């Protein structure tokens, strides 16, 4: 028995893959724009860990911290925890948007490869959607 794969089946399969990738890309877009803005014009400053927020009592996932904005105001924010999580009272670096100082992330996060994941998912979406469109056009 021979296994024959039709181009129409491949095209339909690729379109099915496009929907989850599109959802992932749309979900990550606001974070990508925020991260890009912070990389371009963000201000790095010291923050003090005021509270460690745990998930199910085990892992510290967020920290409540305070930091000083460019205009010397003391601000508080809850952010994703850097790895390893800072201890209470420990100082760590954060980056905030001077135009909107409440937008803040750990400096470690911006320096990591994690923010770039959205770019790769969007590139994969374009590649898969382009291939599906090409196959649909060719066989259509």
């Amino acid at each position: 028995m021979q296994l024959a794969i039709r181009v129409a089946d491949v095209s339909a399969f690729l379109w099915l893959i496009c929907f989850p990738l599109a959802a992932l890309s749309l979900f990550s877009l606001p974070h990508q724009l925020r991260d890009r803005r912070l990389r371009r014009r963000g201000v790095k400053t010291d923050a003090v860990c005021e509270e460690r927020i745990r998930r199910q009592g085990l892992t510290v996932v967020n920290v409540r911290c305070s930091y000083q904005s460019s205009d010397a105001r003391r601000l508080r924010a809850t952010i994703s925890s850097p790895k390893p999580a800072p201890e209470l009272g420990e100082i760590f670096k954060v980056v905030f948007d001077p135009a909107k100082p409440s937008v803040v992330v750990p400096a470690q996060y911006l320096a990591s490869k994690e923010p770039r994941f959205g770019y790769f998912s969007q590139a994969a979406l374009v590649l898969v959607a382009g291939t599906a469109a090409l196959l649909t056009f060719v066989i259509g």
Side-chain angles (χ1 to χ4, degrees), residues 6-36:
R6 297 181 319 159
V7 175
D9 293 337
V10 172
S11 178
F13 175 73
L14 290 175
W15 279 116
L16 286 174
I17 290 174
C18 286
F19 289 112
L21 284 174
L24 179 65
S25 293
L26 289 175
F27 180 71
S28 67
L29 188 61
H31 294 287
Q32 288 178 3
L33 294 173
R34 177 203 65 196
D35 295 346
R36 182 177 176 184

PDB file of all heavy atoms in Angstrom, residues 6-36:
ATOM      1  N   ARG A   6      -1.360  14.360  -0.760  1.00  0.00           N
ATOM      2  CA  ARG A   6      -1.782  15.342  -1.747  1.00  0.00           C
ATOM      3  C   ARG A   6      -1.341  16.735  -1.302  1.00  0.00           C
ATOM      4  O   ARG A   6      -1.277  17.033  -0.116  1.00  0.00           O
ATOM      5  CB  ARG A   6      -3.302  15.317  -1.906  1.00  0.00           C
ATOM      6  CG  ARG A   6      -3.818  13.991  -2.435  1.00  0.00           C
ATOM      7  CD  ARG A   6      -5.315  13.997  -2.613  1.00  0.00           C
ATOM      8  NE  ARG A   6      -5.968  14.677  -1.489  1.00  0.00           N
ATOM      9  CZ  ARG A   6      -7.177  15.188  -1.529  1.00  0.00           C
ATOM     10  NH1 ARG A   6      -7.893  15.109  -2.619  1.00  0.00           N
ATOM     11  NH2 ARG A   6      -7.708  15.776  -0.475  1.00  0.00           N
ATOM     12  N   VAL A   7      -1.078  17.582  -2.272  1.00  0.00           N
ATOM     13  CA  VAL A   7      -0.668  18.954  -1.994  1.00  0.00           C
ATOM     14  C   VAL A   7      -1.785  19.683  -1.254  1.00  0.00           C
ATOM     15  O   VAL A   7      -1.530  20.488  -0.350  1.00  0.00           O
ATOM     16  CB  VAL A   7      -0.287  19.680  -3.303  1.00  0.00           C
ATOM     17  CG1 VAL A   7       0.022  21.143  -3.032  1.00  0.00           C
ATOM     18  CG2 VAL A   7       0.894  19.002  -3.957  1.00  0.00           C
ATOM     19  N   ALA A   8      -3.038  19.381  -1.583  1.00  0.00           N
ATOM     20  CA  ALA A   8      -4.167  20.027  -0.908  1.00  0.00           C
ATOM     21  C   ALA A   8      -4.177  19.670   0.574  1.00  0.00           C
ATOM     22  O   ALA A   8      -4.490  20.512   1.420  1.00  0.00           O
ATOM     23  CB  ALA A   8      -5.480  19.614  -1.558  1.00  0.00           C
ATOM     24  N   ASP A   9      -3.827  18.429   0.906  1.00  0.00           N
ATOM     25  CA  ASP A   9      -3.778  18.020   2.307  1.00  0.00           C
ATOM     26  C   ASP A   9      -2.670  18.769   3.055  1.00  0.00           C
ATOM     27  O   ASP A   9      -2.853  19.193   4.194  1.00  0.00           O
ATOM     28  CB  ASP A   9      -3.555  16.516   2.426  1.00  0.00           C
ATOM     29  CG  ASP A   9      -4.736  15.711   1.902  1.00  0.00           C
ATOM     30  OD1 ASP A   9      -5.855  16.264   1.861  1.00  0.00           O
ATOM     31  OD2 ASP A   9      -4.529  14.537   1.535  1.00  0.00           O
ATOM     32  N   VAL A  10      -1.532  18.913   2.420  1.00  0.00           N
ATOM     33  CA  VAL A  10      -0.415  19.639   3.029  1.00  0.00           C
ATOM     34  C   VAL A  10      -0.804  21.098   3.240  1.00  0.00           C
ATOM     35  O   VAL A  10      -0.553  21.680   4.302  1.00  0.00           O
ATOM     36  CB  VAL A  10       0.857  19.533   2.157  1.00  0.00           C
ATOM     37  CG1 VAL A  10       1.958  20.434   2.681  1.00  0.00           C
ATOM     38  CG2 VAL A  10       1.324  18.092   2.085  1.00  0.00           C
ATOM     39  N   SER A  11      -1.447  21.689   2.242  1.00  0.00           N
ATOM     40  CA  SER A  11      -1.875  23.080   2.350  1.00  0.00           C
ATOM     41  C   SER A  11      -2.872  23.260   3.495  1.00  0.00           C
ATOM     42  O   SER A  11      -2.754  24.192   4.290  1.00  0.00           O
ATOM     43  CB  SER A  11      -2.497  23.540   1.036  1.00  0.00           C
ATOM     44  OG  SER A  11      -2.952  24.864   1.148  1.00  0.00           O
ATOM     45  N   ALA A  12      -3.843  22.363   3.594  1.00  0.00           N
ATOM     46  CA  ALA A  12      -4.835  22.439   4.671  1.00  0.00           C
ATOM     47  C   ALA A  12      -4.164  22.281   6.032  1.00  0.00           C
ATOM     48  O   ALA A  12      -4.492  22.994   6.991  1.00  0.00           O
ATOM     49  CB  ALA A  12      -5.904  21.372   4.474  1.00  0.00           C
ATOM     50  N   PHE A  13      -3.202  21.355   6.119  1.00  0.00           N
ATOM     51  CA  PHE A  13      -2.472  21.147   7.368  1.00  0.00           C
ATOM     52  C   PHE A  13      -1.701  22.405   7.759  1.00  0.00           C
ATOM     53  O   PHE A  13      -1.703  22.825   8.923  1.00  0.00           O
ATOM     54  CB  PHE A  13      -1.524  19.951   7.220  1.00  0.00           C
ATOM     55  CG  PHE A  13      -0.647  19.734   8.409  1.00  0.00           C
ATOM     56  CD1 PHE A  13      -1.172  19.224   9.586  1.00  0.00           C
ATOM     57  CD2 PHE A  13       0.703  20.057   8.364  1.00  0.00           C
ATOM     58  CE1 PHE A  13      -0.366  19.035  10.695  1.00  0.00           C
ATOM     59  CE2 PHE A  13       1.511  19.870   9.463  1.00  0.00           C
ATOM     60  CZ  PHE A  13       0.975  19.352  10.636  1.00  0.00           C
ATOM     61  N   LEU A  14      -1.069  23.051   6.790  1.00  0.00           N
ATOM     62  CA  LEU A  14      -0.308  24.268   7.076  1.00  0.00           C
ATOM     63  C   LEU A  14      -1.230  25.403   7.534  1.00  0.00           C
ATOM     64  O   LEU A  14      -0.876  26.163   8.426  1.00  0.00           O
ATOM     65  CB  LEU A  14       0.496  24.699   5.850  1.00  0.00           C
ATOM     66  CG  LEU A  14       1.683  23.789   5.498  1.00  0.00           C
ATOM     67  CD1 LEU A  14       2.327  24.242   4.199  1.00  0.00           C
ATOM     68  CD2 LEU A  14       2.695  23.757   6.620  1.00  0.00           C
ATOM     69  N   TRP A  15      -2.419  25.500   6.953  1.00  0.00           N
ATOM     70  CA  TRP A  15      -3.365  26.521   7.401  1.00  0.00           C
ATOM     71  C   TRP A  15      -3.799  26.260   8.831  1.00  0.00           C
ATOM     72  O   TRP A  15      -3.995  27.186   9.609  1.00  0.00           O
ATOM     73  CB  TRP A  15      -4.580  26.604   6.479  1.00  0.00           C
ATOM     74  CG  TRP A  15      -4.320  27.402   5.245  1.00  0.00           C
ATOM     75  CD1 TRP A  15      -4.325  26.952   3.964  1.00  0.00           C
ATOM     76  CD2 TRP A  15      -3.987  28.794   5.153  1.00  0.00           C
ATOM     77  NE1 TRP A  15      -4.009  27.964   3.086  1.00  0.00           N
ATOM     78  CE2 TRP A  15      -3.808  29.106   3.792  1.00  0.00           C
ATOM     79  CE3 TRP A  15      -3.812  29.808   6.088  1.00  0.00           C
ATOM     80  CZ2 TRP A  15      -3.466  30.390   3.350  1.00  0.00           C
ATOM     81  CZ3 TRP A  15      -3.482  31.078   5.638  1.00  0.00           C
ATOM     82  CH2 TRP A  15      -3.307  31.359   4.286  1.00  0.00           C
ATOM     83  N   LEU A  16      -3.942  24.991   9.216  1.00  0.00           N
ATOM     84  CA  LEU A  16      -4.300  24.655  10.595  1.00  0.00           C
ATOM     85  C   LEU A  16      -3.196  25.057  11.573  1.00  0.00           C
ATOM     86  O   LEU A  16      -3.463  25.440  12.706  1.00  0.00           O
ATOM     87  CB  LEU A  16      -4.592  23.164  10.733  1.00  0.00           C
ATOM     88  CG  LEU A  16      -5.915  22.694  10.143  1.00  0.00           C
ATOM     89  CD1 LEU A  16      -6.017  21.166  10.216  1.00  0.00           C
ATOM     90  CD2 LEU A  16      -7.083  23.335  10.855  1.00  0.00           C
ATOM     91  N   ILE A  17      -1.971  24.980  11.130  1.00  0.00           N
ATOM     92  CA  ILE A  17      -0.847  25.391  11.970  1.00  0.00           C
ATOM     93  C   ILE A  17      -0.817  26.916  12.114  1.00  0.00           C
ATOM     94  O   ILE A  17      -0.431  27.453  13.157  1.00  0.00           O
ATOM     95  CB  ILE A  17       0.487  24.884  11.382  1.00  0.00           C
ATOM     96  CG1 ILE A  17       0.562  23.366  11.522  1.00  0.00           C
ATOM     97  CG2 ILE A  17       1.676  25.527  12.057  1.00  0.00           C
ATOM     98  CD1 ILE A  17       1.760  22.754  10.853  1.00  0.00           C
ATOM     99  N   CYS A  18      -1.271  27.632  11.092  1.00  0.00           N
ATOM    100  CA  CYS A  18      -1.234  29.101  11.105  1.00  0.00           C
ATOM    101  C   CYS A  18      -2.072  29.693  12.228  1.00  0.00           C
ATOM    102  O   CYS A  18      -1.690  30.714  12.809  1.00  0.00           O
ATOM    103  CB  CYS A  18      -1.726  29.660   9.769  1.00  0.00           C
ATOM    104  SG  CYS A  18      -0.552  29.457   8.434  1.00  0.00           S
ATOM    105  N   PHE A  19      -3.219  29.098  12.531  1.00  0.00           N
ATOM    106  CA  PHE A  19      -4.102  29.695  13.541  1.00  0.00           C
ATOM    107  C   PHE A  19      -3.470  29.750  14.931  1.00  0.00           C
ATOM    108  O   PHE A  19      -3.476  30.800  15.558  1.00  0.00           O
ATOM    109  CB  PHE A  19      -5.460  28.989  13.557  1.00  0.00           C
ATOM    110  CG  PHE A  19      -6.274  29.287  12.336  1.00  0.00           C
ATOM    111  CD1 PHE A  19      -6.537  28.303  11.415  1.00  0.00           C
ATOM    112  CD2 PHE A  19      -6.751  30.564  12.100  1.00  0.00           C
ATOM    113  CE1 PHE A  19      -7.273  28.581  10.279  1.00  0.00           C
ATOM    114  CE2 PHE A  19      -7.491  30.858  10.967  1.00  0.00           C
ATOM    115  CZ  PHE A  19      -7.759  29.866  10.048  1.00  0.00           C
ATOM    116  N   PRO A  20      -2.896  28.650  15.451  1.00  0.00           N
ATOM    117  CA  PRO A  20      -2.248  28.770  16.763  1.00  0.00           C
ATOM    118  C   PRO A  20      -1.049  29.729  16.750  1.00  0.00           C
ATOM    119  O   PRO A  20      -0.830  30.472  17.708  1.00  0.00           O
ATOM    120  CB  PRO A  20      -1.799  27.349  17.099  1.00  0.00           C
ATOM    121  CG  PRO A  20      -2.531  26.461  16.174  1.00  0.00           C
ATOM    122  CD  PRO A  20      -2.938  27.272  14.998  1.00  0.00           C
ATOM    123  N   LEU A  21      -0.292  29.714  15.650  1.00  0.00           N
ATOM    124  CA  LEU A  21       0.843  30.633  15.564  1.00  0.00           C
ATOM    125  C   LEU A  21       0.374  32.085  15.520  1.00  0.00           C
ATOM    126  O   LEU A  21       0.989  32.964  16.128  1.00  0.00           O
ATOM    127  CB  LEU A  21       1.691  30.316  14.330  1.00  0.00           C
ATOM    128  CG  LEU A  21       2.594  29.097  14.440  1.00  0.00           C
ATOM    129  CD1 LEU A  21       3.253  28.812  13.096  1.00  0.00           C
ATOM    130  CD2 LEU A  21       3.647  29.301  15.502  1.00  0.00           C
ATOM    131  N   ALA A  22      -0.724  32.346  14.819  1.00  0.00           N
ATOM    132  CA  ALA A  22      -1.262  33.709  14.773  1.00  0.00           C
ATOM    133  C   ALA A  22      -1.723  34.145  16.161  1.00  0.00           C
ATOM    134  O   ALA A  22      -1.474  35.279  16.578  1.00  0.00           O
ATOM    135  CB  ALA A  22      -2.412  33.785  13.777  1.00  0.00           C
ATOM    136  N   ALA A  23      -2.388  33.234  16.883  1.00  0.00           N
ATOM    137  CA  ALA A  23      -2.840  33.564  18.240  1.00  0.00           C
ATOM    138  C   ALA A  23      -1.644  33.855  19.147  1.00  0.00           C
ATOM    139  O   ALA A  23      -1.659  34.814  19.921  1.00  0.00           O
ATOM    140  CB  ALA A  23      -3.677  32.424  18.802  1.00  0.00           C
ATOM    141  N   LEU A  24      -0.607  33.038  19.046  1.00  0.00           N
ATOM    142  CA  LEU A  24       0.598  33.254  19.843  1.00  0.00           C
ATOM    143  C   LEU A  24       1.242  34.588  19.504  1.00  0.00           C
ATOM    144  O   LEU A  24       1.650  35.341  20.393  1.00  0.00           O
ATOM    145  CB  LEU A  24       1.584  32.104  19.615  1.00  0.00           C
ATOM    146  CG  LEU A  24       2.898  32.175  20.355  1.00  0.00           C
ATOM    147  CD1 LEU A  24       2.664  32.086  21.855  1.00  0.00           C
ATOM    148  CD2 LEU A  24       3.819  31.057  19.902  1.00  0.00           C
ATOM    149  N   SER A  25       1.319  34.906  18.229  1.00  0.00           N
ATOM    150  CA  SER A  25       1.921  36.172  17.809  1.00  0.00           C
ATOM    151  C   SER A  25       1.115  37.367  18.297  1.00  0.00           C
ATOM    152  O   SER A  25       1.676  38.347  18.779  1.00  0.00           O
ATOM    153  CB  SER A  25       2.028  36.225  16.285  1.00  0.00           C
ATOM    154  OG  SER A  25       2.947  35.266  15.846  1.00  0.00           O
ATOM    155  N   LEU A  26      -0.201  37.282  18.170  1.00  0.00           N
ATOM    156  CA  LEU A  26      -1.042  38.391  18.623  1.00  0.00           C
ATOM    157  C   LEU A  26      -0.976  38.561  20.133  1.00  0.00           C
ATOM    158  O   LEU A  26      -0.985  39.679  20.645  1.00  0.00           O
ATOM    159  CB  LEU A  26      -2.489  38.179  18.176  1.00  0.00           C
ATOM    160  CG  LEU A  26      -2.731  38.352  16.682  1.00  0.00           C
ATOM    161  CD1 LEU A  26      -4.169  37.990  16.332  1.00  0.00           C
ATOM    162  CD2 LEU A  26      -2.404  39.768  16.233  1.00  0.00           C
ATOM    163  N   PHE A  27      -0.894  37.441  20.842  1.00  0.00           N
ATOM    164  CA  PHE A  27      -0.794  37.486  22.295  1.00  0.00           C
ATOM    165  C   PHE A  27       0.517  38.129  22.744  1.00  0.00           C
ATOM    166  O   PHE A  27       0.563  38.861  23.721  1.00  0.00           O
ATOM    167  CB  PHE A  27      -0.921  36.074  22.874  1.00  0.00           C
ATOM    168  CG  PHE A  27      -0.825  36.011  24.363  1.00  0.00           C
ATOM    169  CD1 PHE A  27      -1.847  36.498  25.169  1.00  0.00           C
ATOM    170  CD2 PHE A  27       0.296  35.469  24.974  1.00  0.00           C
ATOM    171  CE1 PHE A  27      -1.757  36.448  26.547  1.00  0.00           C
ATOM    172  CE2 PHE A  27       0.395  35.410  26.349  1.00  0.00           C
ATOM    173  CZ  PHE A  27      -0.633  35.902  27.138  1.00  0.00           C
ATOM    174  N   SER A  28       1.592  37.863  22.011  1.00  0.00           N
ATOM    175  CA  SER A  28       2.901  38.376  22.420  1.00  0.00           C
ATOM    176  C   SER A  28       3.201  39.773  21.884  1.00  0.00           C
ATOM    177  O   SER A  28       4.162  40.409  22.328  1.00  0.00           O
ATOM    178  CB  SER A  28       4.003  37.408  21.982  1.00  0.00           C
ATOM    179  OG  SER A  28       4.106  37.375  20.573  1.00  0.00           O
ATOM    180  N   LEU A  29       2.386  40.287  20.974  1.00  0.00           N
ATOM    181  CA  LEU A  29       2.669  41.578  20.358  1.00  0.00           C
ATOM    182  C   LEU A  29       2.757  42.736  21.354  1.00  0.00           C
ATOM    183  O   LEU A  29       3.714  43.524  21.293  1.00  0.00           O
ATOM    184  CB  LEU A  29       1.634  41.882  19.270  1.00  0.00           C
ATOM    185  CG  LEU A  29       1.915  43.108  18.426  1.00  0.00           C
ATOM    186  CD1 LEU A  29       3.240  42.962  17.680  1.00  0.00           C
ATOM    187  CD2 LEU A  29       0.779  43.339  17.438  1.00  0.00           C
ATOM    188  N   PRO A  30       1.817  42.899  22.309  1.00  0.00           N
ATOM    189  CA  PRO A  30       1.963  44.017  23.261  1.00  0.00           C
ATOM    190  C   PRO A  30       3.259  43.942  24.071  1.00  0.00           C
ATOM    191  O   PRO A  30       3.906  44.962  24.316  1.00  0.00           O
ATOM    192  CB  PRO A  30       0.743  43.874  24.172  1.00  0.00           C
ATOM    193  CG  PRO A  30      -0.245  43.100  23.388  1.00  0.00           C
ATOM    194  CD  PRO A  30       0.559  42.187  22.507  1.00  0.00           C
ATOM    195  N   HIS A  31       3.666  42.734  24.447  1.00  0.00           N
ATOM    196  CA  HIS A  31       4.910  42.573  25.202  1.00  0.00           C
ATOM    197  C   HIS A  31       6.114  42.909  24.331  1.00  0.00           C
ATOM    198  O   HIS A  31       7.073  43.511  24.797  1.00  0.00           O
ATOM    199  CB  HIS A  31       5.031  41.150  25.744  1.00  0.00           C
ATOM    200  CG  HIS A  31       3.992  40.820  26.762  1.00  0.00           C
ATOM    201  ND1 HIS A  31       4.016  41.332  28.043  1.00  0.00           N
ATOM    202  CD2 HIS A  31       2.892  40.046  26.686  1.00  0.00           C
ATOM    203  CE1 HIS A  31       2.981  40.888  28.711  1.00  0.00           C
ATOM    204  NE2 HIS A  31       2.270  40.110  27.907  1.00  0.00           N
ATOM    205  N   GLN A  32       6.060  42.518  23.068  1.00  0.00           N
ATOM    206  CA  GLN A  32       7.163  42.831  22.159  1.00  0.00           C
ATOM    207  C   GLN A  32       7.319  44.331  21.989  1.00  0.00           C
ATOM    208  O   GLN A  32       8.439  44.853  22.007  1.00  0.00           O
ATOM    209  CB  GLN A  32       6.926  42.201  20.794  1.00  0.00           C
ATOM    210  CG  GLN A  32       7.081  40.724  20.758  1.00  0.00           C
ATOM    211  CD  GLN A  32       6.777  40.193  19.379  1.00  0.00           C
ATOM    212  OE1 GLN A  32       6.510  40.942  18.450  1.00  0.00           O
ATOM    213  NE2 GLN A  32       6.813  38.894  19.239  1.00  0.00           N
ATOM    214  N   LEU A  33       6.199  45.018  21.809  1.00  0.00           N
ATOM    215  CA  LEU A  33       6.259  46.474  21.643  1.00  0.00           C
ATOM    216  C   LEU A  33       6.793  47.147  22.902  1.00  0.00           C
ATOM    217  O   LEU A  33       7.609  48.066  22.830  1.00  0.00           O
ATOM    218  CB  LEU A  33       4.876  47.015  21.282  1.00  0.00           C
ATOM    219  CG  LEU A  33       4.335  46.576  19.920  1.00  0.00           C
ATOM    220  CD1 LEU A  33       2.900  47.037  19.737  1.00  0.00           C
ATOM    221  CD2 LEU A  33       5.229  47.082  18.802  1.00  0.00           C
ATOM    222  N   ARG A  34       6.342  46.669  24.079  1.00  0.00           N
ATOM    223  CA  ARG A  34       6.835  47.211  25.353  1.00  0.00           C
ATOM    224  C   ARG A  34       8.336  46.972  25.477  1.00  0.00           C
ATOM    225  O   ARG A  34       9.101  47.880  25.817  1.00  0.00           O
ATOM    226  CB  ARG A  34       6.105  46.548  26.519  1.00  0.00           C
ATOM    227  CG  ARG A  34       6.619  47.003  27.879  1.00  0.00           C
ATOM    228  CD  ARG A  34       6.337  46.020  28.970  1.00  0.00           C
ATOM    229  NE  ARG A  34       7.076  44.788  28.737  1.00  0.00           N
ATOM    230  CZ  ARG A  34       6.799  43.644  29.341  1.00  0.00           C
ATOM    231  NH1 ARG A  34       5.811  43.559  30.208  1.00  0.00           N
ATOM    232  NH2 ARG A  34       7.517  42.560  29.089  1.00  0.00           N
ATOM    233  N   ASP A  35       8.779  45.743  25.196  1.00  0.00           N
ATOM    234  CA  ASP A  35      10.197  45.412  25.326  1.00  0.00           C
ATOM    235  C   ASP A  35      11.050  46.230  24.365  1.00  0.00           C
ATOM    236  O   ASP A  35      12.130  46.699  24.731  1.00  0.00           O
ATOM    237  CB  ASP A  35      10.415  43.924  25.086  1.00  0.00           C
ATOM    238  CG  ASP A  35       9.744  43.060  26.134  1.00  0.00           C
ATOM    239  OD1 ASP A  35       9.329  43.603  27.190  1.00  0.00           O
ATOM    240  OD2 ASP A  35       9.599  41.841  25.895  1.00  0.00           O
ATOM    241  N   ARG A  36      10.568  46.408  23.155  1.00  0.00           N
ATOM    242  CA  ARG A  36      11.311  47.203  22.176  1.00  0.00           C
ATOM    243  C   ARG A  36      11.443  48.652  22.651  1.00  0.00           C
ATOM    244  O   ARG A  36      12.505  49.258  22.560  1.00  0.00           O
ATOM    245  CB  ARG A  36      10.593  47.139  20.829  1.00  0.00           C
ATOM    246  CG  ARG A  36      11.304  47.871  19.747  1.00  0.00           C
ATOM    247  CD  ARG A  36      10.573  47.705  18.444  1.00  0.00           C
ATOM    248  NE  ARG A  36      11.227  48.502  17.425  1.00  0.00           N
ATOM    249  CZ  ARG A  36      10.792  48.632  16.220  1.00  0.00           C
ATOM    250  NH1 ARG A  36       9.717  48.005  15.830  1.00  0.00           N
ATOM    251  NH2 ARG A  36      11.437  49.383  15.351  1.00  0.00           N
TER     252      ARG A  36
END
